[in-house]
Amino acid sequence: NAGVTQTPKFQVLKTGQSMTLQCAQDMNHEYMSWYRQDPGMGLRLIHYSVGAGITDQGEVPNGYNVSRSTTEDFPLRLLSAAPSQTSVYFCATKPVGVFSGANVLTFGAGSRLTVL
Amino acid sequence: QKEVEQDPGPLSVPEGAIVSLNCTYSNSAFQYFMWYRQYSRKGPELLMYTYSSGNKEDGRFTAQVDKSSKYISLFIRDSQPSDSATYLCAMSAMNTDKLIFGTGTRLQVFP
């Protein structure tokens, strides 16, 4: 039982390059989300999904794209990387249902991205 | 003004001290209150969770919610060097997936 697995752990990009951060979970959680964490800004929601085929924008979606074709996977795509996207990215999941209001998230270990 | 305010610290205390970590918030609709602990270069992990007002105790940790003052606290008794981490408060209203995080308080417990 691996929980939430993020790859890669570290990545350096040049401005304008594209890449995909991977998130996989084995807990059968319907809800999956991507956050970025920046000093002094806390965790900010980028995109989220409440099930396969359903995605929605969070607080800071610009420059990022997501899709959800399976319950297990929720990749985050950077279309044209910018230095402002230098951050630590976390994937977080939770079940949807009776306890969904509690919003108790399970986080991955993070992906540290630097854009030069 | 941010919905959730949290002092970033760092807070440095000797081993064995009682630690008080706090958050204030502005949205009276918040009903669920959580504390996450985040070790350096790791993901946040849930430490405590409370619903509405009151106290909740788990070992050396006590979470307290005062909805009338829009103020939540996390107390750590007999603090240990292993408690050194960043503590994030988080909260949400009923029937929403939206979770609002504080910026985190960095705690250092020295031997």
Side-chain angles (χ1 to χ4, degrees):
Chain A
N1 188 348
V4 180
T5 303
Q6 289 185 235
T7 55
K9 290 190 177 359
F10 303 94
Q11 183 71 49
V12 178
L13 289 177
K14 294 181 180 177
T15 297
Q17 288 184 317
S18 62
M19 77 156 299
T20 300
L21 300 177
Q22 301 290 347
C23 176
Q25 54 104 356
D26 61 2
M27 298 175 290
N28 205 30
H29 285 174
E30 297 92 341
Y31 180 93
M32 297 185 75
S33 57
W34 278 101
Y35 285 84
R36 59 178 290 174
Q37 187 176 38
D38 303 289
M41 302 293 289
L43 285 159
R44 292 182 292 169
L45 182 64
I46 304 171
H47 284 287
Y48 67 97
S49 167
V50 296
I54 306 168
T55 63
D56 209 343
Q57 296 181 349
E59 183 184 355
V60 287
N62 293 339
Y64 306 96
N65 204 358
V66 292
S67 60
R68 183 93 179 270
S69 56
T70 66
T71 300
E72 294 79 20
D73 300 294
F74 191 44
L76 178 71
R77 297 181 186 85
L78 279 70
L79 309 171
S80 177
S84 61
Q85 294 179 304
T86 293
S87 187
V88 181
Y89 292 85
F90 289 100
C91 180
T93 74
K94 70 179 181 78
V96 173
V98 174
F99 300 107
S100 64
N103 288 325
V104 175
L105 294 167
T106 300
F107 284 83
S111 296
R112 190 172 294 267
L113 176 67
T114 300
V115 183
L116 304 175
Chain B
Q1 183 189 2
K2 292 180 181 178
E3 279 190 282
V4 178
E5 299 277 0
Q6 185 175 10
D7 188 326
L11 183 60
S12 186
V13 301
E15 184 175 355
I18 297 174
V19 175
S20 173
L21 303 166
N22 312 293
C23 288
T24 59
Y25 63 95
S26 57
N27 190 343
S28 58
F30 288 150
Q31 295 282 350
Y32 297 97
F33 304 92
M34 283 144 275
W35 286 95
Y36 284 82
R37 178 175 61 195
Q38 185 176 20
Y39 290 114
S40 181
R41 296 186 178 267
K42 301 288 186 184
E45 56 179 350
L46 182 71
L47 190 61
M48 299 281 286
Y49 146 62
T50 53
Y51 169 69
S52 195
S53 286
N55 293 359
K56 186 173 184 178
E57 190 172 318
D58 184 1
R60 296 184 295 110
F61 299 89
T62 299
Q64 199 170 75
V65 175
D66 182 350
K67 292 188 71 181
S68 61
S69 301
K70 297 191 179 67
Y71 189 87
I72 70 170
S73 301
L74 178 70
F75 298 97
I76 307 175
R77 290 184 300 279
D78 187 25
S79 56
Q80 303 294 310
S82 59
D83 295 327
S84 298
T86 295
Y87 290 80
L88 302 157
C89 64
M91 46 198 82
S92 69
M94 298 248 329
N95 300 317
T96 174
D97 290 311
K98 191 175 181 184
L99 186 62
I100 308 298
F101 284 89
T103 53
T105 300
R106 190 155 65 93
L107 171 67
Q108 296 172 324
V109 181
F110 56 89

